[in-house]
Amino acid sequence: MIGERRVPAEIGTVIVGGGIVGMCLAWFLAEEGHDVAVVDDGRHAGTIANAGGLHVQLQSRFMRLYPEMVPEFERTLPFYPRAVRHWQALASRLDEDIGLAVTGGLMVAESREQYEFLEKKCRREQQLGLEVEMLDRAALDRIAPYFADSIVGAELCATEGKVNPLLANQAIRRKALAAGVAHCTETRVTGLAQTSGGFAVETTRGPMRTGRIVIAAGAGAAELAAHLGLKVPARAEPLHMNITEATEPLIHHMVQHADRQITMKQLAAGMVVIGGGWPATLAGAAEHPTVELDSLIGSLSLAQHVIPRIGSLRLIRTWAGVNTSVDGRPVVGPVSGISGLFFAIPGDAGYTLGPLTARLVAHSILGRTPEMAIGEHTADRFNS
Amino acid sequence: MLTLVRIVDGAARAIRLIHHRLGTSAGRPMSIQHPQTCSHIEHSYKSGDPVTLDVEGQPVTARIGDTLAAALMSAGIAGLRETAGGERRGVFCGMGVCNECLVSVDGRQSQRACMIKVSGPHTVRRQAFQVLLPAQASGAAPILASDLAVRTPDLLVIGGGAGGLAAATVAAGAGLDVVLVDERAMPGGQFFKQPGAAHRFADAIAIDRQVAEGRARIERARRAGVEILSGADAWGAFAPMTVGVTTGAQSLLFRPSRLVVATGAYERGVPVPGWTLPGVMTTGAAQTLLKTDGVLPGRRVLVSGNGPLNLQVALELARAGADVAAVAELAPRPGIARAGALLGLTASALDVAWQGADMLLELYRRRIPVLYGQGLTRIEQADGSLVASLGERRFEIDAVLMGYGFLPSNELLRALGCRHDFDAARGHLVTWRTDDCETSVSGIHAVGDCCGLGGARAAADEGVIAGWAVARALGRPVDHKNLSAARARLVRHRRFQTALWQLFAAPRLHAERAEPDTIVCRCEEVTLGAVEAALSDGLPSIGEVKRRTRLGMGRCQGRYCAPVLAALLAERQGRPIDALAFFAPRVPARPVSISDLVRTGAPR
């Protein structure tokens, strides 16, 4: 039965990739009357693996690691607060609770030097329009009285938050299906070519003909673009994630560190999700996302170092999420010279940027003016 | 005659004790002490010493060396952890797998009552779904995996049951440096489980052949020089050859030259209305309570399921004084149709067959009916007891035992990338192995039930075979006579096991007895109805059903629900059941606390 399932032979729009971007975009287009199919391989899309942090402030660790890329980071900064507003707008249109909580994010400092770095970052972000402020230890304790003695203060970004990806993905999928989207799961695109009227798409469940194709496949975009002779340097960045058993409400903010690889947030049900960009691997021919011992020990050790009280919690699961990294910027909108082809890749922090990216691309497809200029973020920058 | 007197006497003592405990609310009052100021650290207790626990503010008498589960159960306390939905759960698997019997002990949350021993006048509290955090804690300095102590023995054996002990004993006897890690407080595994020092009728248990044989095997392993680490959790395995182990005192990494995985099996879960009620447990759990601590799961017991273990445990409980209402056996009454299976029993297996006939005879003499072709259909809570239904027949009892066969604990092997194939006849994954019990990954051997069910006898001989294979691989001389004898015995054990399965052949239950509101995933409280809804929406893969319903995301890692879901997916969507039909193996193999994982401990 599974083997016989076929994709629709002809459809107006094919979206490759059923992650947060692809499903939101499918919904947005379908509710405007378009017939849309989402084709998803289902192996390691963002759908599967996200941690659900909604990031806004600049990640200081990256700024310290790649100082030459700071201007790029700053160029995309305006996307982030807007992306969180899109999440809020989206949540209000869904039929169920998705655990969205814009309760703010804390980036903690453990030394005078780190604190001063955050102060500089904070001033710059304020100039760029973010709602950020510095908290000394006493002020920090008033809103988050659980940090280790070694923490000297933090930068607070009021517009950061979290969402439960398992709930959000289901709710969005239901909306998309209700709007008439065909969701072709466990289907891999194996070939893609331009035809006179659009595109011929080869899949593991049969061929499709379509007038428009949107590549929303994260790191898979590189291979898909190559079918059309295009270059999009999207890379898979498998990252380690941990989740604990549920505990009493403690951590209301999303927590990050000024200089160490650690992020923590607590889900509404009580589980603490611990990440921070520690690497995982794609193992074997099937590229199965696989966790690494070094990342597990390193991330959990930092977690209990920053918030000692969670040391008593038991780790119940780890997984490898797959982030997509390009050049620090999104790849969105049409491509010069190939009519009907669009990209929808958020770049870093893909889950945060998902609904916004989908909205920008939807407007671009529908011929409306996107709410933010996307001209400098198209795939043309790699294919001039 | 003397032994019978001992059994009866022991049972009578156990019953007196249980009666005494059920009425202990007026027991010795104790001042409730804060765990920090509690003096039991300095106080030197001996095994078997009575001690008063503070359980939810009530005094409960226990003995030093009891498992906490046994102490609570003998005090009539069955309902332990609270679920997110507000239900109570009690001891279910009795072997550390299901995580249903979690309690807080002296302020430490999420302790498995079935796995920890009473060592002082503990303060025991029920715990809510959202566990409590300590009011204060001091974190440790950040470390990396490279800061953890690494041990590099010639051979690491995981699991201290029949197979693991045998492999370790042979390899150590051949002159290798062997470490055996075992999750339990005492080696012996499930088949050779050993009585606790505080056992209530140690005399009666001492004459149990199985216990005596296990004791001798453990002794042989120690004499051969095997270093046994008890209470050590092998929480994760990382390719190519690293195993993470926490001992409570230290987080260790093992990088042995060779690895033998002997992690055994656990009982299959069969969702039936009411199967999550406290007092409903696996047959193995009841046997452990009895053999380890001399505690009955309840006074009136119904045993249900499939296979000879149920008959054995029913008898053991009856001998210890339980009122066994019936044994419900899914298989039809043995008849001519299955005489062929009996003919398949070889001469060497006749001894065991005779034991089986003896068991049936004794059940008959004790007027314990064996109801063939019947299985549980429902369990309900009644006033202070349980009512179990087998179709129209209803039994008012205190405990229901479910023994519907076993599933291999193959999570470490799967994490290491060892090849597995689905065996439709046995209904579970089987580890691919050479004749030397080596897996598809060079240097990793696997023995016993974790590779596919075969029983403790086969496990022990596979252990011998793997032990010699490791010895040979590391350049030690092999005792070929000993090895050939093990191979010959293994052939007989396997033939016997096959015959036994034919004798007890029964339809394998998955969700057939569940109703829409019956919980399939015990941890996340996912009902059959929710699973059906997810299944009928498109043609989701197992991973997609997991993400939609949260089935399999809890503490037991899907051990009970994943096989049920795999069977449903096969039935509804025609998906093949193969290694991909189950959840991908996840680290950790068992929940483990963050502090324990990053505890560098004292350098060796």
Side-chain angles (χ1 to χ4, degrees):
Chain A
M1 191 196 280
I2 281 295
E4 294 160 12
R5 202 152 41 93
R6 307 292 282 183
V7 291
E10 282 217 50
I11 194 134
T13 301
V14 171
I15 298 173
V16 187
I20 184 67
V21 179
M23 289 312 280
C24 282
L25 178 58
W27 175 24
F28 298 159
L29 293 178
E31 65 183 356
E32 297 284 342
H34 290 252
D35 65 328
V36 183
V38 175
V39 179
D40 187 42
D41 180 20
R43 290 186 308 167
H44 46 71
T47 322
I48 292 181
N50 247 282
L54 299 182
H55 292 268
V56 174
Q57 60 180 307
L58 289 165
Q59 312 245 342
S60 65
R61 197 173 58 78
F62 293 131
M63 297 168 68
R64 294 156 82 98
L65 278 174
Y66 313 109
E68 73 285 357
M69 280 180 73
V70 169
E72 294 290 299
F73 297 146
E74 290 191 350
R75 269 164 87 181
T76 55
L77 196 60
F79 280 83
Y80 289 87
R82 198 178 283 265
V84 174
R85 289 200 292 278
H86 270 263
W87 266 108
Q88 289 170 309
L90 189 75
S92 69
R93 295 182 59 211
L94 295 171
D95 302 322
E96 53 240 283
D97 179 44
I98 58 168
L100 177 72
V102 182
T103 46
L106 291 166
M107 189 172 286
V108 298
E110 236 181 320
S111 67
R112 213 54 245 169
E113 187 251 335
Q114 288 170 12
Y115 191 82
E116 282 161 12
F117 181 86
L118 287 182
E119 281 182 317
K120 268 204 305 220
K121 177 170 100 76
C122 182
R123 278 195 298 276
R124 180 70 184 140
E125 285 166 338
Q126 284 168 339
Q127 286 166 8
L128 294 166
L130 295 197
E131 283 179 55
V132 285
E133 63 179 301
M134 290 303 295
L135 305 175
D136 62 16
R137 179 62 199 238
L140 180 61
D141 279 344
R142 281 194 287 276
I143 60 164
Y146 48 75
F147 285 107
D149 292 344
S150 58
I151 303 298
V152 299
E155 181 185 355
L156 170 67
C157 177
T159 51
E160 291 193 313
K162 57 200 170 186
V163 62
N164 184 330
L166 293 176
L167 299 178
N169 294 342
Q170 292 315 315
I172 293 163
R173 175 178 173 275
R174 273 190 278 273
K175 280 290 188 189
L177 293 186
V181 171
H183 188 197
C184 309
T185 55
E186 297 173 78
T187 308
R188 185 172 177 77
V189 172
T190 52
L192 184 55
Q194 267 187 287
T195 60
S196 54
F199 302 89
V201 187
E202 296 297 327
T203 82
T204 49
R205 294 189 192 279
M208 307 171 91
R209 302 185 70 83
T210 183
R212 186 187 293 122
I213 189 151
V214 186
I215 295 177
E223 190 186 322
L224 292 163
H227 286 301
L228 299 168
L230 294 172
K231 191 167 170 281
V232 173
R235 298 183 305 279
E237 194 180 51
L239 299 177
H240 182 96
M241 298 302 308
N242 309 281
I243 191 163
T244 70
E245 60 194 330
T247 185
E248 55 189 314
L250 176 77
I251 307 167
H252 300 288
H253 299 85
M254 178 167 68
V255 173
Q256 301 182 77
H257 196 287
D259 194 43
R260 294 185 190 270
Q261 275 181 268
I262 184 74
T263 62
M264 284 176 275
K265 58 187 112 17
Q266 188 173 16
L267 302 181
M271 296 74 113
V272 180
V273 179
I274 299 167
W278 290 78
T281 44
L282 297 178
E287 301 199 324
H288 182 67
T290 303
V291 301
E292 291 178 20
L293 174 66
D294 292 352
S295 293
L296 185 147
I297 297 293
S299 58
L300 293 176
S301 172
L302 277 177
Q304 58 87 47
H305 171 70
V306 173
I307 305 181
R309 288 174 66 195
I310 66 170
S312 63
L313 290 179
R314 297 194 307 166
L315 171 72
I316 58 173
R317 199 157 23 95
T318 61
W319 73 96
V322 182
N323 194 31
T324 297
S325 169
V326 190
D327 59 352
R329 286 160 51 191
V331 184
V332 288
V335 179
S336 301
I338 304 182
S339 167
L341 172 67
F342 293 81
F343 282 90
I345 305 165
D348 287 334
Y351 206 71
T352 304
L353 296 177
L356 170 65
T357 303
R359 184 58 79 190
L360 294 174
V361 176
H363 281 173
S364 170
I365 288 170
L366 296 166
R368 298 175 194 161
T369 310
E371 63 182 81
M372 301 177 75
I374 58 169
E376 60 170 340
H377 300 304
T378 68
D380 289 352
R381 67 181 185 273
F382 308 113
N383 297 286
S384 49
Chain B
M1 195 60 211
L2 183 63
T3 56
L4 187 64
V5 170
R6 276 185 181 160
I7 293 171
V8 172
D9 180 49
R13 274 159 53 202
I15 294 162
R16 279 200 303 275
L17 192 69
I18 290 162
H19 279 252
H20 167 72
R21 289 191 176 192
L22 286 171
T24 350
S25 33
R28 182 160 61 92
M30 79 169 273
S31 57
I32 297 167
Q33 294 169 307
H34 190 270
Q36 254 71 46
T37 59
C38 187
S39 60
H40 71 266
I41 305 298
E42 304 97 76
H43 193 118
S44 66
Y45 286 105
K46 290 198 308 294
S47 282
D49 280 356
V51 64
T52 304
L53 309 179
D54 163 10
V55 181
E56 294 285 307
Q58 297 296 315
V60 165
T61 308
R63 298 206 216 178
I64 299 293
D66 272 343
T67 60
L68 185 57
L72 294 171
M73 194 147 292
S74 66
I77 299 168
L80 302 175
R81 86 171 179 98
E82 193 177 295
T83 67
E87 285 183 11
R88 287 234 177 274
R89 296 285 168 78
V91 172
F92 179 68
C93 74
M95 58 193 293
V97 173
C98 74
N99 281 272
E100 293 284 43
C101 64
L102 299 182
V103 286
S104 138
V105 181
D106 299 332
R108 291 191 68 197
Q109 300 271 305
S110 295
Q111 304 297 300
R112 291 170 295 178
C114 70
M115 295 297 278
I116 62 169
K117 298 278 188 188
V118 172
S119 60
H122 305 294
T123 300
V124 181
R125 294 287 178 267
R126 285 185 170 126
Q127 72 175 49
F129 175 69
Q130 293 189 339
V131 305
L132 301 178
L133 294 169
Q136 278 181 347
S138 50
I143 61 155
L144 297 170
S146 53
D147 294 315
L148 296 179
V150 176
R151 298 201 55 191
T152 55
D154 294 328
L155 172 64
L156 174 69
V157 178
I158 305 174
L165 282 170
T169 305
V170 165
L176 298 177
D177 165 26
V178 180
V179 180
L180 183 152
V181 296
D182 187 43
E183 186 186 23
R184 301 177 186 212
M186 275 182 294
Q190 195 70 354
F191 190 76
F192 290 127
K193 65 180 72 114
Q194 297 294 300
H199 198 287
R200 280 157 190 74
F201 31 107
D203 292 356
I205 283 292
I207 56 111
D208 184 315
R209 288 199 316 185
Q210 225 166 297
V211 169
E213 189 187 340
R215 186 177 298 166
R217 284 168 182 265
I218 295 163
E219 191 46 42
R220 275 208 297 281
R222 290 220 162 93
R223 272 207 311 271
V226 177
E227 181 188 350
I228 299 178
L229 295 181
S230 284
D233 275 315
W235 58 267
F238 300 84
M241 189 65 105
T242 299
V243 178
V245 173
T246 56
T247 65
Q250 197 178 13
S251 182
L252 289 168
L253 298 179
F254 279 89
R255 296 207 169 98
S257 303
R258 294 253 151 179
L259 177 64
V260 171
V261 178
T263 42
Y266 66 98
E267 268 149 306
R268 193 184 275 280
V270 175
V272 169
W275 75 304
T276 55
L277 290 169
V280 182
M281 67 186 76
T282 64
T283 302
Q287 191 186 40
T288 301
L289 285 168
L290 179 68
K291 284 204 170 181
T292 311
D293 301 285
V295 167
L296 297 175
R299 192 177 59 77
R300 299 162 303 170
V301 183
L302 177 75
V303 185
S304 70
N306 177 225
L309 179 68
N310 293 324
L311 300 175
Q312 183 191 336
V313 173
L315 264 187
E316 288 169 352
L317 292 172
R319 288 176 193 150
D323 175 1
V324 179
V327 181
E329 166 56 56
L330 267 186
R333 182 182 293 281
I336 291 167
R338 285 181 299 147
L342 285 168
L343 291 175
L345 300 182
T346 57
S348 68
L350 273 176
D351 178 40
V352 187
W354 272 117
Q355 284 180 31
D358 270 355
M359 286 197 298
L360 288 173
L361 191 62
E362 192 181 339
L363 285 166
Y364 176 76
R365 286 212 191 103
R366 289 179 179 273
R367 297 174 192 287
I368 298 171
V370 180
L371 309 171
Y372 291 98
Q374 300 222 37
L376 276 176
T377 48
R378 168 178 297 279
I379 308 155
E380 288 153 299
Q381 196 131 40
D383 203 17
S385 61
L386 298 170
V387 175
S389 305
L390 306 172
E392 298 299 303
R393 290 178 81 146
R394 289 160 67 83
F395 297 86
E396 189 175 339
I397 63 269
D398 303 307
V400 178
L401 311 191
M402 299 177 78
Y404 286 85
F406 294 82
L407 290 169
S409 293
N410 53 21
E411 54 281 348
L412 296 177
L413 289 167
R414 293 182 65 210
L416 286 164
C418 302
R419 178 181 152 191
H420 285 78
D421 302 295
F422 186 73
D423 180 326
R426 289 189 268 176
H428 56 65
L429 292 178
V430 171
T431 312
W432 184 93
R433 292 181 297 169
T434 66
D435 286 347
D436 280 342
C437 298
E438 188 164 1
T439 68
S440 62
V441 179
S442 172
I444 298 176
H445 295 255
V447 301
D449 287 352
C450 66
C451 320
L453 274 302
R457 298 285 163 205
D461 287 315
E462 289 179 7
V464 171
I465 292 164
W468 287 123
V470 170
R472 186 174 54 237
L474 298 181
R476 305 293 161 138
V478 174
D479 179 343
H480 288 283
K481 211 172 129 197
N482 182 284
L483 175 59
S484 313
R487 287 198 197 279
R489 285 193 306 270
L490 182 59
V491 170
R492 290 196 296 275
H493 296 320
R494 287 186 174 158
R495 198 179 299 150
F496 171 71
Q497 196 71 38
T498 307
L500 204 59
W501 281 327
Q502 284 170 14
L503 200 59
F504 281 90
R508 187 167 296 115
L509 291 182
H510 296 293
E512 292 81 354
R513 299 282 164 95
E515 292 173 6
D517 63 350
T518 304
I519 284 171
V520 174
C521 166
R522 300 175 65 103
C523 301
E524 295 288 331
E525 298 176 277
V526 182
T527 61
L528 179 65
V531 175
E532 296 279 11
L535 285 174
S536 62
D537 175 3
L539 293 167
S541 63
I542 189 165
E544 183 59 21
V545 176
K546 179 179 184 177
R547 290 188 289 278
R548 286 189 200 168
T549 62
R550 296 194 61 82
L551 176 141
M553 289 199 182
R555 292 182 173 106
C556 91
Q557 324 272 30
R559 279 179 173 77
Y560 296 97
C561 57
V564 174
L565 178 56
L568 283 172
L569 281 161
E571 182 193 308
R572 302 296 155 77
Q573 302 181 359
R575 276 179 197 272
I577 301 191
D578 52 22
L580 296 176
F582 299 92
F583 297 138
R586 296 276 196 205
V587 175
R590 300 276 162 89
V592 53
S593 87
I594 294 175
S595 308
D596 283 347
L597 279 171
V598 303
R599 185 167 287 128
T600 48
R604 285 183 62 88

